[in-house]
Amino acid sequence: MRHTSFHLAAGVAAALLACAAQAQTIYPLNRADILAGSRFDFKVEFDGVVPRDQLKVSINGQDVARVFGQNAEYIEREDGKPASSLLLRGVSLPTAGHYVVKASDGTHEKSVNWTVYGTPAKRAAKNVILFIGDGFSIAHRTAARILSKGYDEGGKLKGKLAMDDMPYMALLSTQGTDSIVTDSANSASAYTTGHKSCVNALGVYCSRAADTLAHPAVETLTSLAKRRGMAVGAVTNSEVEDATPAAMAAHTRRRSDFDDIVRMFLDSRIDVLMGGGSPHFLPKSTAGSKRKDDTDFIAAYRQAGYQLATTKTEMTALAADKSTTKLLGLYNTGNVDGALDLKFLKKGSVAKFPDQPDVVEEMRAAIEVLSRNPNGFVLLVESARIDKYSHSMDAERAIYDTIMLDDAVQAAKDWSKARGNDTLILVTADHSHPVSLIGTVNDDAPGPEMRNKVGVYASAGWPNYPAPDAAGYPATVDVSRRLRLVFGAYPDHYDTFRPYLDGENVPAVKGKDGVVVANEQYKDVPGAVLRIGNLPNTGPDAATQGIHSGDDVVLTATGPGAERVRGQMENTELFRVIAEALALAPQPAKAQPKARAKAATAQ
C-alpha cells in the first residue's frame, strides 16, 4: 500500500512538473497560420514574476528582438498581478516559411509552431463579396429552397438556389480556441483575420489581460485591403456594432464593447457601413443614445467624408450620386426588420421605421459605391436575422431571411457576370443552429392534438404555400399544410406548431426567482404543448432562447480563386482563400544584380 502511494505521489508530482514546464503561453498560439506581411501582436505570458534577464525568447533560433527589429516591452507584473509578460505590438513576418518560437523563463521552456504563407504575385479577383448567413444551417437552406423554388410531380426541384448553383463547395468547422461551439464573434473573426479566437472575441487572441482592448490583436481583412488601396464595406440587417460586421474592424475581447467598435470602424476607414444600431453613434446627452460618453460619432463620420442615410430612399439617392465614395447607413435604432415583417406582416418595428432597406437593397447600394474604386473592393454582406430568429425558435422568419440572403447572392452573381466574372463570391454561415426539417403540419388532419397533425415520411407530403413572387417569397406562411422545423436545443416553452403572425416568438422568460420558465403568452393557443427544456434554466448559462450548435457549415463559392474551396476546411482557411485571390501578401524582393566593381587602376 505504501509502495502504491509512493508511485501515485510521484506520478502527481511529475504531472505537476509537466504542467509547470508548459506554463508559458505564446501568442499567436500553436499552429497559427499567418499571412506574410500581416500585422499581429506578439505576446509571451509567464506563470509568475520572472526577472527580465532570465527571459529568453527566440524565433527560429534568433532572438525575438532581432527578428522583429525592436525590443519587446517587459511587463514585470501585468495588471498588478504576480505574473510577467513580454509584448510587441504590430509586428509582421514578411517571409513565408515554418517558424518555431521558443520562450524560456530560465527553468522551463515552451515552444509553438507557426506557418507563414505567401500569396501569388498576381491577384485572380478584382473584388470579393463574402456572404454570411448568421446561424444559417442545412435545414434553413432546404426550407428556403422548397418555399422559393418548389418541386414538380416527379419530386425534382423546379430550380436551384443561387447559393447552390456554384461550382465549389466545402464543409467548414467552426470551433474556436476555447470551445467546440462558437459564437458569431470569434467565428466571423476567423473569416476576417485567418486566426482562431475564443467566444465573444473579435480580432484578438484571448490572453489574461484585464482590459478587453489590450489583448493581442491580429490584422483584419479591412486593414489589409485598405493598405492595398481597395475599398471595403459591410452591410447587415443587425446593428452594425454586432459581432459579424464588427469582425471587419474590431479588436476586443468583449463583443459588447459597442462604443469602442463604432470608433474602430471609423479608424479603419471602411468605405461603406450599413445596418441598424444608431444609438451608439449618438452622444450620451442625446435622447435615445446608448453611448457612455458625449462623443458625437454621426458628426465624426460626416467630418471624415461619409454621407449619412437613415432611410432606404436616402440610401438609394446617395448611392446613385457619383460623388458618394463613403456611405454610412443607419436605418433602425435596433436591428433592421427581417423579410417576413418588412414585406408582408408589417410587424416588428416596421411601423416606426417604414422605409428600411432589406439586405438585397443594401448590397446593391454598397456595390454601387464601392465599385467606384478602380482597385476593387471587399464587401461583407450579412443576413443576420437568420440567427436571431433561430434563437427565438421562429422558423418562418428565419426561412424568409434565408430567401433574402439567396436573392442577394443572385444579384451579386448577376452583377459579376455582367462585368466578366471578376469577383470571388463566397456564401457561408459563421456557425449553425440545431434545427431540422422533419415533415409538415397538416391542420386538416383529424383530432385536436397538434402532434398528431405532424406528417412524417409519406404522410408529410408537400406543403401548400402559394406560388412565390418574383423574389421567391410566398405571400403567406399561414397555410393549412406547412413545413415543420424543430429545434434540438431549447428552454421550457409552449410549442404552438404555428407561425407567429403577431410578432417574433419569445419562447421563455426569467421568473422573479431567476429561473427560466415558458412564456405563458402562448399557453392558451389551441393545441399548444408545454415543452420541458433541455438547456440550463438557472445559473450563468440559463437560456431563454435556443442556442448555437457545433455542426459544420456549408461554404459555396464561384469566381476567380474559388477553386481552393473543397472538402473539409477550417474556418480560418476561408480568409486564406480571400487573401490568395487578392494577392494580399507582399512579394519577396527580387535579388538585385551586384554592381560591377570599378577597376582600381593606379596611373
Side-chain angles (χ1 to χ4, degrees):
M1 187 74 177
R2 193 177 296 173
H3 182 73
T4 303
S5 299
F6 173 80
H7 280 288
L8 179 62
V12 170
L16 291 173
L17 185 61
C19 289
Q22 297 296 311
Q24 290 90 285
T25 305
I26 301 170
Y27 303 98
L29 295 173
N30 189 43
R31 297 180 63 200
D33 294 316
I34 303 172
L35 175 67
S38 66
R39 298 166 183 159
F40 60 92
D41 293 344
F42 175 75
K43 186 181 185 185
V44 182
E45 296 177 339
F46 296 91
D47 187 16
V49 176
V50 183
R52 179 68 178 90
D53 58 5
Q54 290 185 20
L55 303 181
K56 184 177 180 180
V57 180
S58 65
I59 298 180
N60 284 356
Q62 295 188 62
D63 184 77
V64 68
R66 182 176 179 183
V67 173
F68 291 130
Q70 55 180 304
N71 291 319
E73 176 188 2
Y74 168 64
I75 306 168
E76 183 180 22
R77 293 174 176 269
E78 188 173 9
D79 296 317
K81 296 178 181 178
S84 301
S85 295
L86 287 179
L87 178 64
L88 275 165
R89 299 281 189 191
V91 298
S92 65
L93 292 167
T95 305
H98 178 69
Y99 290 77
V100 179
V101 187
K102 295 182 178 181
S104 171
D105 62 4
T107 304
H108 307 113
E109 184 176 85
K110 171 74 177 289
S111 67
V112 299
N113 295 275
W114 298 340
T115 298
V116 176
Y117 60 91
T119 59
K122 184 179 180 181
R123 56 198 279 189
K126 182 174 183 179
N127 315 298
V128 171
I129 304 177
L130 170 60
F131 289 94
I132 296 181
D134 201 315
F136 168 47
S137 308
I138 290 288
H140 296 125
R141 182 189 291 258
T142 304
R145 192 185 298 121
I146 292 172
L147 264 67
S148 65
K149 305 301 177 185
Y151 294 82
D152 62 24
E153 63 181 11
K156 292 186 176 181
L157 285 163
K158 292 181 180 179
K160 290 186 177 184
L161 296 173
M163 65 181 80
D164 293 336
D165 193 18
M166 291 181 163
Y168 299 98
M169 180 179 288
L171 291 176
L172 297 182
S173 60
T174 62
Q175 75 285 346
T177 60
D178 64 336
S179 175
I180 58 172
V181 182
T182 185
D183 79 320
S184 294
N186 67 327
S187 56
S189 184
Y191 296 156
T192 61
T193 69
H195 293 261
K196 296 273 190 179
S197 191
C198 63
V199 171
N200 293 325
L202 290 160
V204 297
Y205 279 99
C206 298
S207 69
R208 66 185 177 204
D211 183 349
T212 60
L213 306 183
H215 293 254
V218 288
E219 191 167 14
T220 66
L221 183 57
T222 296
S223 175
L224 286 159
K226 294 296 289 183
R227 283 210 275 145
R228 284 151 184 78
M230 300 179 69
V232 181
V235 301
T236 181
N237 60 348
S238 71
E239 297 169 313
V240 295
E241 310 91 350
D242 207 359
T244 304
M248 290 292 281
H251 301 286
T252 175
R253 174 64 181 84
R254 183 174 58 201
R255 58 180 283 180
S256 59
D257 285 334
F258 299 137
D259 287 0
D260 295 297
I261 290 169
V262 169
R263 173 185 52 78
M264 291 174 189
F265 267 126
L266 181 61
D267 292 343
S268 77
R269 299 180 295 117
I270 195 167
D271 299 273
V272 174
L273 179 63
M274 292 195 281
S278 57
H280 286 282
F281 286 76
L282 302 173
K284 179 181 175 182
S285 56
T286 301
S289 170
K290 291 184 179 180
R291 288 197 67 81
K292 297 179 178 65
D293 59 43
D294 256 324
T295 306
D296 184 345
F297 271 95
I298 296 290
Y301 273 75
R302 278 177 163 152
Q303 188 174 2
Y306 291 83
Q307 300 294 322
L308 173 67
T310 60
T311 65
K312 178 173 69 174
T313 302
E314 292 176 352
M315 175 194 77
T316 304
L318 287 170
D321 185 341
K322 294 182 179 180
S323 68
T324 301
T325 56
K326 291 185 176 182
L327 180 57
L328 172 66
L330 298 172
Y331 310 113
N332 200 306
T333 52
N335 298 306
V336 175
D337 287 293
L340 186 58
D341 288 319
L342 199 59
K343 299 175 183 296
F344 299 98
L345 299 179
K346 305 302 179 184
K347 298 295 183 178
S349 64
V350 173
K352 187 176 180 181
F353 301 100
D355 194 20
Q356 302 170 80
D358 68 8
V359 170
V360 186
E361 292 159 338
E362 284 185 311
M363 185 202 70
R364 289 184 188 277
I367 288 176
E368 194 167 6
V369 174
L370 296 172
S371 59
R372 294 184 178 125
N373 186 320
N375 294 319
F377 65 81
V378 175
L379 174 61
L380 169 73
V381 180
E382 184 196 22
S383 184
R385 302 205 69 170
I386 300 171
D387 173 71
K388 297 182 189 303
Y389 293 140
S390 296
H391 278 297
S392 62
M393 301 163 61
D394 196 321
E396 283 77 13
R397 283 180 170 81
I399 295 168
Y400 270 55
D401 272 33
T402 305
I403 295 172
M404 179 168 60
L405 171 67
D406 195 62
D407 286 344
V409 173
Q410 185 63 63
K413 289 173 67 176
D414 291 345
W415 178 84
S416 179
K417 183 178 179 180
R419 295 166 49 87
N421 291 315
D422 62 353
T423 300
L424 170 62
I425 299 174
L426 302 154
V427 187
T428 191
D430 47 356
H431 58 78
S432 57
H433 273 269
V435 57
S436 294
L437 173 61
I438 66 163
T440 60
V441 178
N442 183 1
D443 288 339
D444 296 327
E449 286 194 69
M450 293 301 295
R451 66 181 294 176
N452 290 322
K453 296 177 184 291
V454 175
V456 298
Y457 297 108
S459 297
W462 303 99
N464 59 356
Y465 298 99
D469 62 18
Y473 301 107
T476 181
V477 294
D478 189 23
V479 295
S480 62
R481 194 168 188 146
R482 54 196 175 271
L483 296 183
R484 174 65 169 167
L485 267 71
V486 296
F487 293 85
Y490 49 84
D492 291 7
H493 68 284
Y494 286 96
D495 185 351
T496 70
F497 298 82
R498 293 177 173 85
Y500 299 93
L501 303 179
D502 293 331
E504 183 180 353
N505 182 27
V506 181
V509 295
K510 277 194 177 181
K512 292 181 180 179
D513 57 359
V515 177
V516 172
V517 296
N519 184 356
E520 295 202 352
Q521 173 184 346
Y522 309 107
K523 182 178 181 180
D524 297 326
V525 174
V529 176
L530 175 63
R531 304 285 186 205
I532 301 302
N534 56 13
L535 296 174
N537 64 352
T538 62
D541 292 326
T544 59
Q545 297 186 320
I547 60 167
H548 301 172
S549 70
D551 301 343
D552 288 355
V553 297
V554 176
L555 167 64
T556 50
T558 188
E563 64 278 359
R564 287 202 71 254
V565 173
R566 60 186 181 274
Q568 187 276 329
M569 304 170 69
E570 292 281 359
N571 55 2
T572 50
E573 292 182 74
L574 186 149
F575 172 86
R576 185 166 179 173
V577 171
I578 295 173
E580 292 194 352
L582 296 177
L584 292 180
Q587 295 306 303
K590 293 182 179 179
Q592 298 296 321
K594 292 182 179 180
R596 184 175 296 175
K598 292 183 179 180
T601 56
Q603 297 293 334

